[in-house]
Amino acid sequence: MQKLTNKEEEIMQILWKLKKAFVKEIQAEITEDQPHYNTLSTIVRNLEEKGYVNHSAFGNTHQYYPMVSIEEYRKGFMNTAIDNYFNSSYKSMVSFFAKEEKISAAELREILTMIETPKEVI
């Protein structure tokens, strides 16, 4: 998966929320620093070239929809962040959040319970 710019991620968040949308509908969802229609259209086409979205044609206009789920993106994003910033160590990542007081002892116990609970066999 290619890395996305901040604006591309913002557009993807909108498309994941809306499921499918025309450029004008995407534009209406952007509250801060709203790009010009043509700029936004270019960003969406770039997302299509990167394989993140596809479109259905309706005459001269296109309705865009995600090709990558938010779960797929999250997994790739987190793996890259853990590799780049925590030396591929989940322990280091959890330790960082604990030191920054972003995760509580109760939440850590809950995570431990999830890890220790056997998975159901399907």
Side-chain angles (χ1 to χ4, degrees):
M1 249 189 262
Q2 282 185 277
K3 185 168 171 44
L4 298 181
T5 65
N6 290 341
K7 193 52 99 173
E8 288 172 336
E9 279 190 9
E10 181 182 0
I11 303 310
M12 285 305 300
Q13 291 289 341
I14 292 167
L15 282 171
W16 285 320
K17 176 183 152 192
L18 298 178
K19 309 282 191 252
K20 56 187 176 179
F22 295 97
V23 173
K24 280 195 177 284
E25 293 171 322
I26 296 169
Q27 190 176 33
E29 292 288 318
I30 300 172
T31 54
E32 293 181 21
D33 298 325
Q34 192 178 71
H36 186 272
Y37 178 91
N38 292 339
T39 302
L40 182 56
S41 182
T42 299
I43 294 169
V44 173
R45 284 195 311 275
N46 288 342
L47 284 167
E48 189 169 25
E49 286 177 20
K50 290 180 178 182
Y52 282 89
V53 302
N54 204 345
H55 72 270
S56 298
F58 294 92
N60 291 335
T61 188
H62 296 129
Q63 187 178 47
Y64 294 91
Y65 54 90
M67 292 295 293
V68 174
S69 71
I70 193 167
E71 292 80 14
E72 289 174 286
Y73 185 74
R74 181 185 302 137
K75 184 177 180 179
F77 177 85
M78 289 305 297
N79 286 337
T80 300
I82 291 164
D83 290 346
N84 291 342
Y85 298 104
F86 300 102
N87 202 25
S88 301
S89 169
Y90 287 84
K91 178 182 170 186
S92 293
M93 180 197 67
V94 173
S95 173
F96 168 81
F97 287 114
K99 287 176 187 170
E100 293 292 315
E101 298 180 2
K102 302 291 184 190
I103 190 167
S104 69
E107 290 169 322
L108 285 172
R109 281 190 288 279
E110 187 177 332
I111 292 169
L112 278 174
T113 300
M114 289 168 49
I115 292 169
E116 293 169 345
T117 303
K119 306 284 186 272
E120 289 184 36
V121 178
I122 298 175

